[in-house]
Amino acid sequence: MKRNSQQEELLRVPVHMKLHYRFPAGAHYDKFFEEMKETGKIMGVKCPECERVLLPPRPVCGECFVRTGEWVQVGPKGTVVAYTSIYFPFVDGTTGKPRPIPYGAGLIQLDGAYSAINHILEEGDPEKLHIGMRVEAVLTEEREGNIGDILYFKTIEE
Amino acid sequence: MNDHVERMVLQGKVDLPFTYSAGKTASRFFVELRDHQRIMGKRCPRCQRVIVPAQLFCKECFVETDEWVEVGPEGTLVTFTIVYRKENHHPKEAPFAYGIIKLDGADTSMVHFLGETDVTKLEHGMKVRAFFSEERKGHILDIECFRPIS
Amino acid sequence: MGKRAAIIGTGQTNHCSTREDVNEMELVYEAATAALKDAEMTIKDIDAVVLANMELFEGRALHDMWCGEGAGALLKHSFKISTGGTSGTSGAISGYYHVASGLFDRVMVVGFEKHSDGNTSAGMALTDPFWDRHIAAAAIGNFALSVSEYMADRGVTEEQSAKVAVKARRNACNNPHAHLQMPDLTVEEVLESPILAYPVRRLEMCPQSDGACAIIFASEEIAKKSCARPAWVRAAVTRHDHIYLGEVKNRLTTMRSLREAAKVAYEIVGIREPLKEFDVAEIYDPLTYAEIAWYEALGFCKDGEGGKLIDNGVTHMDGELPVNPSGGVISTNPVGASGTIRVAEGALQIHGMGGKRQIPDVNLALVTGYGVYCWSDVLVLSSKPG
Ligand SMILES: [Zn+2]
Ligand SMILES: [Zn+2]
């Protein structure tokens, strides 16, 4: 079953699939990315009921199921709550090419935010990473209004 | 915020490789096309239909097919269409035609390209014949197309 | 309360990394015919078919119709369920609902995945395009994030994790369908395997398998008539949590979707001490650390004591509560089928048909499903209709 016999030729058909999508941001993400592009500020949105500051800025609080309200600036400093370093090779599904490895990744709780943001850490060596470490967002010079405007989070001493 | 006119739209791309296992039955079908320019079906032991392209099991009876049967290369054009609009995702540049062809000796029909895009030369029920590609790779396009015969 | 329903037949393919001898539809056919044989039925007896598969991996439009024919769904009532890794258990829950509703008497559920057709890691990384597609590193990377957090929270060690891997791959040797069978695997070998994403090592992670699994649910009357020891579904609960990792606090430590699903399921059946009351558990363990975390979320022990269960052999084949006699997801992972396999293996234990992996005298089995990132299904199967 696992190995085909020599007489029997088993064919596999390669197909490369390229698809294009348009993702409308919606009003909340739209404001978030515009603010980041124009002023470099990272903005969360507060739930009027549970008072958590959400990032991504959701139009509805998932816990309370009510519309979120006030915009609040968060970060750019924050705390690493989880981290990893990626060593295994894999195809980046958005480019069809291998993602460069290794790289550090973490969940960063920005000062003033409840939820954490999943992003790249400048430090990729797990020996030098730990939970609770302080980091700060480093933004690109020329911002385009997408999550890539945050290049990575760098380690800071406080 | 409602006075925003231009909304952000993120352009996304998905680029993925696939490698589909043909399985032993379709593999033999493709190998026959490639090596012998033969179109093969398989007969269902229960309903006796010859299923083309060959399938491991009969979908009507839910039992494995057993006997291999050569069909065609001539057959009947059951129906057809001609695509005129050019689109990036089309398998060929328009205009191109494709149809449903019931090969002689088969009880089911197969979908394939037609080598004729002049609508006045295509007719329901007309006889067609498979034309094989010069370079065959063990793929459904080893049959290049079906062309009307007189 | 719905009507009583039981599992009266199961069927699995041989699972391995590449099944070149079949295409995906034929893989489904193989599992479906095996289940029909086990239940001593023909496809004509089946009223409805539920398919379970994770979207995107095989890159096929109308996947449900394409594979539906393999499951014998032609001109029958049929749906596809797709809830990520939980697809297989959610499909089984749906199959149960079909019978429990009283509208159908015999329902077949088929979970399937042909990973070798596509590129699973790339597919898994197609997460939210606004927030984390640039960083997502398949299931492994996202898990690894939570593992570092879990180790810090609970003090679980690498050795405890490695022991789970050894248990799983050794158990798999008793399961003729399992993908990774490693009778001689040692803790040292696990710890020497390369790090995929810190701190997760290759031998701590599930493989990618080709495989399918089918289950047949039947109404009370039919189950009693046609099966010597039906596996009665006593509870079937599903819960989901947030999809963005940053919105979930201490994911593995809390796993509140699993805790909530288990709590509700235990209440329905009246289970107070799961470790004592269950005879066997087939839980969805995508990696070693998750299995330890699930011990805690499922109430097998107090929070922080999951590592001790594996240290003390409590979840081994001869332990108080054997967990994953089949080898689990760590040994076999055709994603859309992985949950269905858990249900089938739980049912098999109650049927008493587990062969070399059979635990003696199983009357109550716990089954779980897990999906990225925080989706949980819990089923309780019993030899008694309740
Ligand atoms: Zn709220
Ligand atoms: Zn037939």
Side-chain angles (χ1 to χ4, degrees), chain A residues 3-5 14 51 57 59-60 63 67 75 79 81 88 102 110 112 118 121 124 139-141 144 149 155:
Chain A
R3 274 270 64 90
N4 48 307
S5 62
E51 302 205 315
V60 171
E63 299 287 334
R67 286 213 171 264
T79 304
V81 296
F88 73 101
L110 290 167
N118 189 4
L121 299 173
L139 304 190
T140 51
E141 285 291 314
E144 295 171 356
D149 288 349
T155 310

Side-chain angles (χ1 to χ4, degrees), chain A residues 72-83:
Chain A
V72 183
Q73 189 183 346
V74 298
K77 292 181 183 173
T79 304
V80 171
V81 296
Y83 67 93

Side-chain angles (χ1 to χ4, degrees), chain A residues 51-144:
Chain A
E51 302 205 315
R52 297 178 315 145
V53 175
L54 303 177
L55 192 71
R58 307 287 192 199
V60 171
C61 172
E63 299 287 334
C64 309
F65 210 59
V66 296
R67 286 213 171 264
T68 50
E70 184 193 348
W71 285 84
V72 183
Q73 189 183 346
V74 298
K77 292 181 183 173
T79 304
V80 171
V81 296
Y83 67 93
T84 182
S85 296
I86 308 297
Y87 291 97
F88 73 101
F90 69 103
V91 173
D92 186 330
T94 63
T95 61
K97 297 188 178 67
R99 173 87 57 85
I101 48 166
Y103 66 93
L107 293 179
I108 301 111
Q109 186 165 20
L110 290 167
D111 294 348
Y114 170 84
S115 34
I117 182 167
N118 189 4
H119 216 293
I120 295 166
L121 299 173
E122 183 188 26
E123 180 59 68
D125 180 356
E127 298 292 317
K128 293 179 182 154
L129 292 168
H130 63 91
I131 287 169
M133 70 190 284
R134 295 285 290 163
V135 291
E136 182 173 357
V138 175
L139 304 190
T140 51
E141 285 291 314
E142 286 195 14
R143 294 187 294 271
E144 295 171 356

Side-chain angles (χ1 to χ4, degrees), chain B residues 15 49 63 88 140:
Chain B
D15 190 326
R49 294 182 312 145
V63 294
N88 282 336
I140 191 66

